[in-house]
Amino acid sequence: MSIEKLQPFLAPSYENFPKGRTIGVVVLRTTQSETIFRTEGTGEPMCSEYVQAGVQNTESISRLVMTKRKQVAPERRKGREFLRSHELLYTAPKSDSICALNTNAPCEMCIDCFLYGFAAGGEGAQKSRVWTEDAFSVLPSTELIGDRTINAIFETGTMRDEKGNASTALNTSEYIKPGVHFLDIVTLKDVTADELRYALGNILLTSRYGAVSSRVGRMENQILGIFGGIAELPSSLELVQGVYDKLAADGKALEHPFKTEPLIAAAKSVIATWTNKRGISMQLSADELDALIADVDRNWSLNEQETFLKRLDRSYASLRKVKSEGKKKGRDQQQEE
């Protein structure tokens, strides 16, 4: 039912040209273990920015930042795991190898390429229809960062080898504590119903983010609201600032660890006013949102996953045919010349 309510803002099929149909998704990301978000190498501080604390509260505070690249890259990789398992990644014309990220040789034909876009391909580029932005922590970064000293001892169980040389594998690194909340806005442009299910599934199924994610970086994603309209929602920063004002006005102590339930209540209270803003037409109710999440879970389930992904893959079939015919025509012209 909730998918039907979003129909005015969903594309009936993939189209090359945008038509102003926008789905806005409000996501709460909560760290479940130590996590590392930084843009430089080992030893660099966590990503943070000084911003205004609230909309009403004009005090400047430092907030942790989960950059857009830290969000979308692991979510794309999660979706591609399933595309690979069902053999839905195609051979890249430029490299003659299976489509892969960060190789400058996308296949330009798989679900991931059509939805998340590509550049530096063999014959052009596809603009992403999944727009992300930096997510900010609700509390100041000074509350949320700890230091961890790591070392690597020799097999003797000490920091010195058999010759008495001291180990250089000693380092102190910052980390983000478990239980830190980031509020985030994801915008989907001119997506079909199945593309919406695919993008939401990637968000809900991805559980590891940031550096050394095989050891740390566990995170839970919750979708707090879904909107339809002709314009983007307010930014992640505006959302965080509105929630900060709300929590401060309620007299709650703003210190880590902060309980998730009152934060969710404050966030839902803030976003409930957004349908009055320009270009935002409707918000799914709580029951409709639950129904949509259940719909996504059902399509991603083991029983229906293959059917769902192959149905979405077939929706691009006519575009692949046009592309392959264009390539054949180009080769024929070159041979004639």
Side-chain angles (χ1 to χ4, degrees):
M1 180 61 190
S2 52
I3 283 282
E4 282 72 19
K5 190 170 181 180
L6 288 171
Q7 282 300 335
F9 312 102
L10 293 171
S13 60
Y14 171 81
E15 300 172 57
N16 281 325
F17 297 98
K19 290 189 175 177
R21 293 167 292 212
T22 304
I23 302 291
V25 184
V26 179
V27 185
L28 171 65
R29 304 179 187 273
T30 306
T31 58
Q32 302 293 314
S33 72
E34 296 174 10
T35 304
I36 299 172
F37 291 136
R38 59 187 172 217
T39 54
E40 303 297 335
T42 303
E44 292 297 317
M46 294 295 102
C47 296
S48 63
E49 289 286 351
Y50 273 93
V51 295
Q52 192 167 297
V55 177
Q56 305 298 328
N57 187 332
T58 59
E59 176 190 2
S60 291
I61 63 171
S62 175
R63 280 196 162 100
L64 292 172
V65 178
M66 183 182 181
T67 62
K68 51 187 175 292
R69 290 182 183 277
K70 298 295 182 186
Q71 302 164 36
V72 76
E75 288 164 8
R76 288 185 70 174
R77 287 196 293 270
K78 174 54 70 176
R80 293 172 66 91
E81 288 178 13
F82 299 104
L83 297 184
R84 188 174 294 106
S85 70
H86 294 296
E87 299 183 344
L88 295 176
L89 293 175
Y90 294 81
T91 301
K94 192 175 181 180
S95 64
D96 200 28
S97 58
I98 293 296
C99 184
L101 292 177
N102 299 326
T103 60
N104 289 334
C107 71
E108 310 173 25
M109 293 184 286
C110 69
I111 296 170
D112 182 84
C113 283
F114 272 104
L115 184 57
Y116 289 91
F118 58 84
E123 296 181 354
Q126 166 73 48
K127 189 174 178 63
S128 175
R129 288 176 288 133
V130 181
W131 293 6
T132 57
E133 55 182 288
D134 292 345
F136 294 88
S137 63
V138 178
L139 300 185
S141 62
T142 50
E143 292 271 335
L144 311 175
I145 293 177
D147 291 325
R148 183 75 68 198
T149 299
I150 56 174
N151 63 356
I153 60 176
F154 293 102
E155 287 194 35
T156 58
T158 71
M159 290 295 290
R160 290 187 180 277
D161 63 15
E162 294 176 349
K163 297 179 180 178
N165 298 319
S167 170
T168 58
L170 179 66
N171 183 39
T172 299
S173 181
E174 286 186 343
Y175 68 90
I176 299 171
K177 298 175 181 176
V180 173
H181 303 99
F182 292 85
L183 284 168
D184 187 25
I185 305 292
V186 178
T187 303
L188 306 172
K189 290 279 291 179
D190 293 297
V191 296
T192 65
D194 277 343
E195 286 175 332
L196 172 63
R197 294 183 178 105
Y198 183 79
L200 293 181
N202 287 347
I203 292 172
L204 293 170
L205 291 171
T206 304
S207 57
R208 297 273 181 167
Y209 292 84
V212 292
S213 56
S214 61
R215 283 164 279 173
V216 298
R218 187 66 188 255
M219 181 168 287
E220 180 185 11
N221 295 322
Q222 293 175 262
I223 295 176
L224 303 184
I226 293 185
F227 293 78
I230 59 172
E232 286 188 79
L233 299 177
S235 67
S236 299
L237 181 58
E238 290 174 276
L239 172 57
V240 165
Q241 290 171 329
V243 170
Y244 188 92
D245 282 342
K246 183 77 178 171
L247 295 173
D250 291 345
K252 294 184 172 64
L254 301 180
E255 58 187 21
H256 184 78
F258 195 85
K259 291 183 179 179
T260 302
E261 290 76 15
L263 188 141
I264 290 177
K268 288 185 175 179
S269 173
V270 171
I271 66 177
T273 65
W274 283 359
T275 49
N276 296 326
K277 294 183 181 294
R278 179 179 299 168
I280 303 170
S281 300
M282 52 79 63
Q283 177 188 3
L284 293 185
S285 68
D287 290 341
E288 291 166 340
L289 178 60
D290 290 342
L292 177 55
I293 300 300
D295 179 290
V296 172
D297 288 341
R298 184 174 61 256
N299 278 279
W300 275 98
S301 67
L302 277 178
N303 291 335
E304 297 193 28
Q305 183 186 114
E306 183 174 3
T307 302
F308 160 59
L309 291 176
K310 288 187 174 179
R311 182 178 71 228
L312 177 54
D313 180 75
R314 283 196 301 272
S315 69
Y316 307 117
S318 60
L319 297 153
R320 296 191 193 102
K321 185 178 179 181
V322 169
K323 186 170 287 188
S324 61
E325 287 177 348
K327 289 176 184 175
K328 184 176 183 302
K329 184 177 180 181
R331 285 196 298 270
D332 292 344
Q333 286 177 340
Q334 287 178 352
Q335 290 172 355
E336 290 174 2
E337 291 170 0

